[in-house]
Amino acid sequence: MVRILSKENVSELLTMKDALKYVEEAYKQLTLGQALVPQRIAITDPAPGLTLVMPGIIGGEMNALATKIVSVYKQNPEKYQMPTVLAKIMVQDINTGDIVGIMDGSLITAMRTGAATGVSVKYLARKDSRVMGIYSAGIQARKQVVGTYWGLDQKLERCKVFDLKKETAIQFKTELEKELGIEIKIVNSGNDLLEDTDILVAATTSTTPLFDGNNVSEGTHISSIGAHAADVRELDTAIIKRASLRVAGLKEACLAEAGDYIIPIKEGIITEDDIISIGEIITGRSEGRKTNSDITVFKSVGISAQDVATAKLVYDRAIEQGIGKNIDF
């Protein structure tokens, strides 16, 4: 029997607080050698969009095995009235290999990506951080704010947002003020996000840097979750050079796909040894932020371990609570 879970089912079963916990555990198990994340397979031309096939396995107490298929088709909203990002996740029984669950992966993708930033905030941002700024007001950006809120243990007080689409920003403000009870301020330019901001998040589809890294205040923590190809980036070389810590969700993945790090390495500004996986900090193998003046950078290109851990949580809860539909193939 295969348990089928809709987006509504997933929403009922998954909270950001739980997603953050499970994504953190996934990062930990990767560093401990208890998880395997093969390089994701990218499929594009002649299709008008990108499809990624992302398998992964996590051992230990989690014992999770799953594969996500996610697509990014920028023409979908305008041409088909569909989301840009679509995803499904197949959960397998780790003992038999049988597929036991198929679930909508779009919400899980957004939640686990927000949780990744939340984990980075927990370990890299200043403990007195209260104000964040975010580039973009889309669906993913909203989950970034929620992830930051929980990463700060609900101590986030204000979020400044910049988006080219004013209506999207207004909806962003309305929804998040209601959900989190924090102040959302819409600003007129991306540069406005750099002033009096403790945490800066980039969650865009931009292929070029969003701001001048020389204008970032000391002590800022930056998380970039957009731009996942070797020749594109959200962060410029200046901020990478200034950073005291250059952290990756997974170092190997960022060295293959994150232009934010790859380009400065090719320029000779930093080396591969200057980048560490966040699991190194979570497990205590590497030191995190040392002073309140440090600038810290976290880059995530998305790895299947995040999906595997979160999907396993959703599947287990669905079985426990009798949610979803069983299909006998």
Side-chain angles (χ1 to χ4, degrees), residues 4-280:
I4 307 296
L5 299 170
S6 67
K7 184 176 182 178
E8 290 71 25
N9 295 149
V10 174
S11 178
E12 184 179 352
L13 293 163
L14 181 63
T15 68
M16 181 58 76
K17 184 178 181 180
D18 290 328
L20 197 149
K21 176 182 177 181
Y22 273 68
V23 168
E24 179 178 343
E25 183 64 21
Y27 284 143
K28 177 182 176 181
Q29 294 304 324
L30 279 167
T31 297
L32 295 176
Q34 294 295 314
L36 176 63
V37 180
Q39 186 66 35
R40 58 189 179 184
I41 300 170
I43 303 169
T44 177
D45 297 332
L50 171 68
T51 294
L52 299 170
V53 182
M54 304 171 61
I57 187 169
I58 304 173
E61 294 183 3
M62 194 173 290
N63 263 350
L65 174 62
T67 297
K68 182 174 79 170
I69 299 178
V70 58
S71 61
V72 183
Y73 278 54
K74 294 182 181 180
Q75 65 178 2
N76 277 2
E78 183 176 346
K79 193 171 183 179
Y80 299 107
Q81 291 75 55
M82 295 173 64
T84 300
V85 179
L86 297 167
K88 301 292 185 292
I89 299 175
M90 295 176 289
V91 177
Q92 293 172 256
D93 184 315
I94 199 170
N95 296 307
T96 67
D98 192 22
I99 293 175
V100 294
I102 300 176
M103 66 186 70
D104 180 86
S106 300
L107 179 59
I108 287 178
T109 299
M111 291 284 277
R112 61 80 151 157
T113 309
T117 285
V119 173
S120 80
V121 166
K122 177 179 177 180
Y123 284 94
L124 299 173
R126 300 192 327 269
K127 299 304 179 184
D128 63 349
S129 296
R130 297 293 182 269
V131 180
M132 72 176 290
I134 187 163
Y135 289 88
S136 175
I139 294 174
Q140 180 54 257
R142 297 172 200 186
K143 299 305 181 187
Q144 291 292 306
V145 179
V146 180
T148 299
Y149 177 82
W150 285 103
L152 288 177
D153 195 23
Q154 305 178 74
K155 295 176 182 176
L156 182 68
E157 296 176 356
R158 184 155 57 104
C159 173
K160 296 183 288 185
V161 59
F162 172 69
D163 195 290
L164 294 173
K165 298 178 180 178
K166 198 63 175 288
E167 290 182 2
T168 302
I170 292 172
Q171 186 178 6
F172 176 97
K173 173 181 172 68
T174 301
E175 292 182 1
L176 284 177
E177 286 187 337
K178 180 179 179 181
E179 179 180 354
L180 301 179
I182 64 174
E183 177 190 356
I184 305 293
K185 180 180 180 181
I186 300 171
V187 299
N188 296 319
S189 75
N191 287 334
D192 292 337
L193 298 180
L194 305 180
E195 301 174 3
D196 301 317
T197 301
D198 305 311
I199 297 166
L200 192 62
V201 178
T204 74
T205 57
S206 178
T207 58
T208 57
L210 298 168
F211 55 87
D212 184 346
N214 292 306
N215 295 330
V216 173
S217 300
E218 289 189 352
T220 303
H221 170 61
I222 302 167
S223 176
S224 166
I225 60 96
H228 43 79
D231 58 346
V232 301
R233 55 180 173 169
E234 293 181 307
L235 310 180
D236 67 4
T237 297
I239 194 59
I240 300 301
K241 183 178 181 180
R242 289 183 64 201
S244 300
L245 276 173
R246 306 167 188 91
V247 184
L250 182 65
K251 178 177 179 177
E252 293 79 4
C254 280
L255 290 177
E257 298 181 10
D260 307 77
Y261 286 149
I262 293 171
I263 294 172
I265 289 173
K266 289 182 177 180
E267 293 172 341
I269 301 301
I270 61 170
T271 69
E272 293 185 3
D273 292 337
D274 292 319
I275 300 168
I276 61 171
S277 296
I278 196 166
E280 296 288 328

Side-chain angles (χ1 to χ4, degrees), residues 290-317:
K290 296 179 181 178
T291 72
N292 280 344
S293 63
D294 286 347
I295 292 175
T296 54
V297 172
F298 174 75
K299 178 67 185 182
S300 175
V301 295
I303 54 175
S304 62
Q306 300 165 327
D307 302 296
V308 172
T310 310
K312 182 62 162 54
L313 165 64
V314 170
Y315 173 78
D316 288 344
R317 283 190 174 169

